[in-house]
Amino acid sequence: MKRREPVKLPRRSSLMAARHKASSVASLKEKNALLTRALSESLEQQSATADVLKVISRSTFNLQTVLDTLIETAARLCEARRGVIFKRDGETYHGIAFYNVSPELVDFIKRHPITPGRQTITARVALERRTVHVAALQADAEYRYALRGVDPNGTELGVPMFQGDDMAGIVILYKLGVQPFTDKQIELVTTFADQAVIAIENTRLVNELRQSLEQQTAASDVLNVISRSPTNVEPVFEIIGERAERLCKAAVSVVSMVEGELIRLASFHGVAEKGVEAVRQAFPMRWSDETVTARAIRTCTIVHIPDVLADPRYQQKDAARAGGYRGCLGVPMVREGQVIGAIFVARREAGLFADAQVELLKTFADQAVIAIENVRLFEEVQARTRELSQSIEELSALGEVSQAINSTLDVEAVLTTIVAKAVELSGTEAGAIYTFDESCQEFGLRATHGMDEAMIAAIRDRPIGAGETAIGQAAAQRAPIQIPDTLKESSLVLDVIVRAGYRAVLIVPLLRPDQIVGALVVRRREPGEFPKNTIDLLETFADQSVLAIQNARLFREIEEKSRQLSAASEHKSQFLANMSHELRTPLNAILGYTELIADRVYGEIPEKVLATLQRVQSNGRHLLGLINDVLDLSKIEAGQLTLSLTDYSIGDVVSTVLTAVEPLATGKQLALNSVLPPDLPLARGDERRIAQVLLNLVGNAIKFTDSGEVAVLASAANGSFTIAVRDTGPGIPEADQRRIFDEFKQAETSSSAWKTGGTGLGLSIAKRIVEMHGGRICVESSPGQGSTFSITLPLIAKKQVAPI
């Protein structure tokens, strides 16, 4: 029997090693699986992040697409059931992007914006400005969201969206069960929140750039319309209204214009057909109306109302409800501090317009002012051109009349020239000049134009008695009379005039201070009133007619040499006045033509010629001033100078005079001051003549003062006011202080006195004008101490006083 070998059993240590090796392999496999899963999750997150960045880059103009992609990707990677992105608007947060949220819940979130607090996770993130993670919402005692019982969310994560130090919004993710978010998931959502901020900021910048480009384009469009329509503002208002409505996203836009005390409609856009009549009925508005437009115009400021239905002052709430608008903006159009209109826009939802939209409307308002100013300037240029052309024609006509008066003693030839020019420049068809025969108290036909022989014979055979027809009335009233329609006032004209088809007649009496000379008549076949400038022109021709008739009469009287000595003095003054008229008329024509040439109306001229023309103008104006002084004195002596009493402001008179003499004072480096109490009362007198007196006194003070100042002081007391003109000149010796008010006298107070020129009539005329008002003038002066001329006038000159 063989010997059996004993069985060898494994040692215990070998078994333990095998078991340990198997355990290590399993552990390595588990770690490898975890690493693989982590790597897969990381790759998925990186891929998702890259996909989101691609969406952001491709959807620059569509923020909603970016936000929808962000919340969907975040929810999917974090295994969340649903998600919401809230955007901050002021102090509230509004849901703007949703993932897997029911329409009912979306509607609820949009209708209930969230404010900072503790009641919801969104509110806590807004309050604490940090990430909030609640693993078990049902166990959170502070959580009191309105849909808690309906929407059984288990876990919620809120991550703030920071833009610098400001919160732009919040990302919210929900899980139905209690499934806490991992740190990596929270980190991922934080990354997505940052990307959401980038997307919002990119979109904001792009939208601002696009809006800026649109606004610049709109402004350029308006300027193009202005350049194409320099004489018409309506196209400008139309494009401003249309662009304002579109770029401000307004429901309605209205452009209005100020017209006196009313505000009138200029254009409107965006109004539905049923609301057009309501808009039209809202105009014209009054400045006092409590509307956005009226308030902007009245206050000259921008009026911005977030909700007119909540504004207690707003008057047109019914119109706002009918038009369906809430937020309103009114921007005034201002030209040189004066409001000339306004631009109004309104939108359907409550709230303020953006700052960029306000700035756009301010730009539109400025452009509207430019358009209005362009039209005004164009019309002024056109009117000035017409006036200039008419002035040239009138000056030419007056020159021809003056030449006729000065070159012939044939009064019929002169009067025929006058009536022909009167008809031509007044735009009428026919005219006549009648002379008055005092012996028989009748008007007789003397010269005609545009009338046939039969009509002339019929009128010549029918003398007009004093007081008869409109000619007699004009002479009796010593004022022009016009008949706009002879068919309605046939009793005032001869039957032959009506039968000839003349419908409108203008009669200007030919007058001398003490008698009726005749009448100048023009007629036209079109009915209607004559403009004031036509009446003024015919009054000038009437004066020329009187001058021609008077010249002829004076010539006959000189030839006869039968005048008495008492009449000789009177005729001397009359002749001097007439000769002053004769000199002034051609001199005015010379000055007028010189100014036209200097203004290059007839073409460019060399600078040397221009300098010569300016010297001609300067000497001509000086000569005209001398003639005017002689004319005023002669009128006073002949009793022809009369005061035109009206209400006036002495402050305005002083201001006008100082403005006129300022260049003289500046040229001599003299200070020119005035001391006027602010409460000076209104006065009554001849404002033009008082200004003439003051101008003479201030002008003399400047002429005789070489250094220092000239000042005008005024005060009122006891029914009178006093005006003093004070200078720092050489002073006037006592011996000269009386005679300087005499005719053709000047004080010899300095070696430079001879340089001042003048006729020596200024103070004499000033004294007589002041005395005609019932006042007095005096002077206080000492050699080397300057002079003070004082005028005392009654506040109310009730009637003209005969000069002493």
Side-chain angles (χ1 to χ4, degrees):
M1 186 174 188
K2 292 182 179 179
R3 187 180 177 180
R4 298 179 64 184
E5 294 291 333
V7 179
K8 294 183 178 179
L9 296 175
R11 290 183 300 174
R12 185 177 181 87
S13 59
S14 299
L15 290 173
M16 291 295 292
R19 289 175 182 172
H20 178 72
K21 182 177 181 180
S23 175
S24 296
V25 170
S27 176
L28 288 173
K29 287 182 179 179
E30 183 179 354
K31 288 181 179 180
N32 185 55
L34 289 174
L35 288 173
T36 302
R37 187 163 56 252
L39 180 59
S40 177
E41 290 178 356
S42 177
L43 289 173
E44 185 180 6
Q45 291 179 5
Q46 290 179 14
S47 177
T49 302
D51 291 341
V52 169
L53 292 175
K54 289 179 182 178
V55 172
I56 292 175
S57 65
R58 291 196 305 265
S59 305
T60 306
F61 296 99
N62 192 343
L63 177 63
Q64 193 62 48
T65 299
V66 176
L67 297 180
D68 289 344
T69 302
L70 279 170
I71 194 61
E72 178 185 355
T73 305
R76 179 169 53 80
L77 294 178
C78 295
E79 299 176 348
R81 184 60 178 269
R82 63 174 62 97
V84 180
I85 294 179
F86 290 85
K87 187 174 182 293
R88 181 183 176 186
D89 185 4
E91 297 299 322
T92 60
Y93 292 80
H94 302 260
I96 59 172
F98 303 88
Y99 169 69
N100 200 27
V101 180
S102 66
E104 294 79 12
L105 183 55
V106 171
D107 180 66
F108 179 85
I109 292 174
K110 286 186 174 181
R111 288 188 292 105
H112 296 84
I114 295 176
T115 56
R118 305 292 305 176
Q119 69 278 12
T120 69
I121 304 306
T122 307
R124 291 183 203 176
V125 175
L127 178 65
E128 298 178 6
R129 295 170 56 84
R130 66 178 182 85
T131 297
V132 176
H133 181 202
V134 178
L137 286 176
Q138 299 298 330
D140 191 324
E142 292 182 307
Y143 189 77
R144 297 189 305 277
Y145 198 47
L147 298 182
R148 178 172 185 170
V150 178
D151 190 34
N153 293 324
T155 300
E156 186 170 342
L157 172 66
V159 178
M161 296 160 47
F162 278 106
Q163 184 177 7
D165 293 332
D166 296 328
M167 280 184 60
I170 300 171
V171 178
I172 297 293
L173 293 179
Y174 305 90
K175 291 184 178 181
L176 297 184
V178 178
Q179 303 175 43
F181 290 85
T182 67
D183 292 342
K184 285 187 176 182
Q185 290 174 336
I186 295 174
E187 183 180 354
L188 177 65
V189 176
T190 302
T191 300
F192 281 176
D194 293 339
Q195 291 174 338
V197 171
I198 293 172
I200 292 172
E201 181 65 10
N202 286 351
T203 303
R204 182 187 68 80
L205 292 174
V206 169
N207 287 339
E208 285 184 357
L209 178 60
R210 180 173 58 186
Q211 186 178 26
S212 177
L213 290 174
E214 288 178 345
Q215 292 180 359
Q216 291 179 19
T217 301
S220 177
D221 292 343
V222 173
L223 291 176
N224 288 336
V225 173
I226 292 174
S227 64
R228 292 196 304 267
S229 305
T231 62
N232 187 3
V233 295
E234 291 183 5
V236 178
F237 290 159
E238 287 296 324
I239 191 171
I240 285 177
E242 187 274 328
R243 296 296 193 272
E245 176 207 359
R246 178 166 59 84
L247 296 180
C248 293
K249 296 180 176 58
V252 60
S253 68
V254 178
V255 180
S256 56
M257 291 295 298
V258 171
E259 189 176 298
E261 298 299 321
L262 298 176
I263 305 168
R264 300 198 178 275
L265 179 65
S267 73
F268 61 90
H269 285 80
V271 181
E273 185 176 350
K274 62 181 181 180
V276 170
E277 189 58 30
V279 172
R280 294 189 185 279
Q281 289 180 355
F283 291 88
M285 294 180 184
R286 296 183 299 272
W287 284 50
S288 58
D289 289 345
E290 285 301 334
T291 64
V292 174
T293 295
R295 204 182 301 177
I297 289 174
R298 184 173 63 249
T299 62
C300 194
T301 58
I302 294 174
V303 176
H304 204 173
I305 301 177
D307 189 354
V308 292
L309 297 183
D311 186 347
R313 294 172 57 188
Y314 191 73
Q315 293 177 339
Q316 295 186 343
K317 289 185 172 63
D318 292 341
R321 293 189 186 95
Y325 58 84
R326 305 282 293 277
C328 296
L329 172 64
V331 178
M333 299 185 303
V334 184
R335 182 184 67 200
E336 297 179 355
Q338 182 179 4
V339 182
I340 59 176
I343 302 173
F344 167 84
V345 292
R347 60 185 182 185
R348 301 193 185 283
E349 64 275 7
L352 297 174
F353 286 83
D355 292 343
Q357 294 170 334
V358 176
E359 290 299 320
L360 175 64
L361 257 63
K362 289 169 63 178
T363 299
F364 283 164
D366 292 340
Q367 290 177 326
V369 170
I370 292 172
I372 295 168
E373 186 69 5
N374 283 352
V375 173
R376 184 186 68 83
L377 291 175
F378 181 82
E379 291 175 349
E380 284 186 0
V381 169
Q382 293 293 96
R384 180 59 179 159
T385 301
R386 289 192 296 269
E387 291 174 0
L388 187 59
S389 299
Q390 184 175 359
S391 296
I392 292 173
E393 292 179 4
E394 292 175 2
L395 287 171
S396 177
L398 290 173
E400 292 181 25
V401 171
S402 297
Q403 183 178 2
I405 292 174
N406 296 326
S407 62
T408 179
L409 297 174
D410 185 351
V411 68
E412 277 75 21
V414 175
L415 296 180
T416 300
T417 301
I418 291 174
V419 70
K421 293 300 179 182
V423 169
E424 177 185 348
L425 295 179
S426 64
T428 53
E429 287 94 14
I433 291 180
Y434 294 80
T435 54
F436 185 68
D437 188 342
E438 293 185 353
S439 61
C440 60
Q441 293 291 296
E442 289 182 345
F443 291 90
L445 190 63
R446 189 70 177 268
T448 65
H449 180 78
M451 299 164 55
D452 58 37
E453 293 298 329
M455 187 174 183
I456 293 173
I459 295 175
R460 202 180 297 277
D461 292 341
R462 171 65 170 86
I464 299 172
E468 283 188 319
T469 73
I471 294 176
Q473 290 188 9
Q477 296 176 15
R478 304 181 68 84
I481 288 180
Q482 59 173 307
I483 304 172
D485 192 345
T486 58
L487 296 181
K488 296 179 180 179
E489 301 180 77
S490 57
S491 61
L492 295 178
V493 294
L494 297 177
D495 293 341
V496 64
I497 303 299
V498 179
R499 289 196 302 270
Y502 292 107
R503 296 287 300 277
V505 179
L506 173 62
I507 303 100
V508 179
L510 308 182
L511 303 170
R512 289 185 59 205
D514 55 351
Q515 70 181 86
I516 299 169
V517 177
L520 170 61
V521 182
V522 293
R523 311 179 186 96
R524 67 172 183 230
R525 289 185 168 83
E526 181 183 354
E529 294 190 353
F530 291 84
K532 184 179 184 301
N533 61 334
T534 298
I535 298 174
D536 293 341
L537 176 63
L538 262 65
E539 286 184 311
T540 300
F541 281 123
D543 291 340
Q544 296 279 13
S545 301
V546 172
L547 181 60
I549 295 170
Q550 182 63 13
N551 279 354
R553 182 177 301 172
L554 288 174
F555 183 78
R556 289 195 300 269
E557 289 176 355
I558 292 174
E559 277 191 334
E560 295 172 0
K561 296 183 180 181
S562 59
R563 295 173 299 174
Q564 297 180 357
L565 184 60
S566 59
S569 176
E570 177 185 355
H571 285 303
K572 179 267 298 181
S573 297
Q574 293 171 346
F575 181 75
L576 186 58
N578 291 331
M579 288 306 298
S580 297
H581 275 297
E582 291 183 43
L583 291 172
R584 186 167 62 173
T585 299
L587 183 56
N588 275 324
I590 291 170
L591 289 174
Y593 280 117
T594 304
E595 183 177 359
L596 292 175
I597 295 171
D599 289 342
R600 296 179 172 86
V601 171
Y602 299 109
E604 293 297 325
I605 58 175
E607 290 298 321
K608 290 185 177 180
V609 175
L610 179 61
T612 302
L613 285 175
Q614 289 172 344
R615 288 196 294 271
V616 171
Q617 281 185 304
S618 176
N619 287 288
R621 292 192 185 100
H622 179 66
L623 179 58
L624 184 60
L626 301 180
I627 294 172
N628 286 335
D629 285 347
V630 173
L631 181 60
D632 283 343
L633 182 64
S634 63
K635 283 184 176 180
I636 293 173
E637 291 182 345
Q640 298 177 2
L641 184 66
T642 58
L643 300 181
S644 177
L645 302 179
T646 59
D647 293 337
Y648 68 94
S649 166
I650 190 59
D652 291 346
V653 172
V654 172
S655 177
T656 300
V657 170
L658 293 184
T659 300
V661 300
E662 185 177 7
L664 299 176
T666 302
K668 298 186 70 174
Q669 297 183 346
L670 297 176
L672 188 61
N673 301 312
S674 64
V675 181
L676 303 174
D679 55 349
L680 282 176
L682 286 176
R684 185 169 182 81
D686 191 326
E687 181 177 3
R688 185 174 69 86
R689 292 299 181 180
I690 291 173
Q692 177 183 348
V693 171
L694 187 58
L695 184 62
N696 179 274
L697 296 180
V698 177
N700 281 349
I702 294 173
K703 285 195 297 184
F704 287 94
T705 302
D706 293 327
S707 62
E709 72 162 0
V710 173
V712 179
L713 305 91
S715 60
N718 302 322
S720 300
F721 65 81
T722 301
I723 310 171
V725 178
R726 185 182 65 203
D727 63 57
T728 56
I732 304 172
E734 185 175 356
D736 290 337
Q737 290 182 18
R738 286 190 177 182
R739 70 184 189 91
I740 58 174
F741 292 102
D742 295 337
E743 298 166 13
F744 306 106
K745 298 294 184 181
Q746 287 184 322
E748 298 296 333
T749 60
S750 71
S751 60
S752 63
W754 64 273
K755 299 179 183 179
T756 61
T759 60
L761 293 175
L763 289 176
S764 174
I765 294 172
K767 179 174 181 291
R768 299 198 185 197
I769 290 174
V770 170
E771 291 172 348
M772 289 173 71
H773 280 81
R776 59 186 178 84
I777 184 171
C778 61
V779 61
E780 295 180 5
S781 181
S782 298
Q785 301 298 317
S787 304
T788 299
F789 284 81
S790 299
I791 306 169
T792 301
L793 292 170
L795 281 174
I796 300 176
K798 296 182 179 180
K799 63 179 181 178
Q800 178 173 317
V801 179
I804 299 174

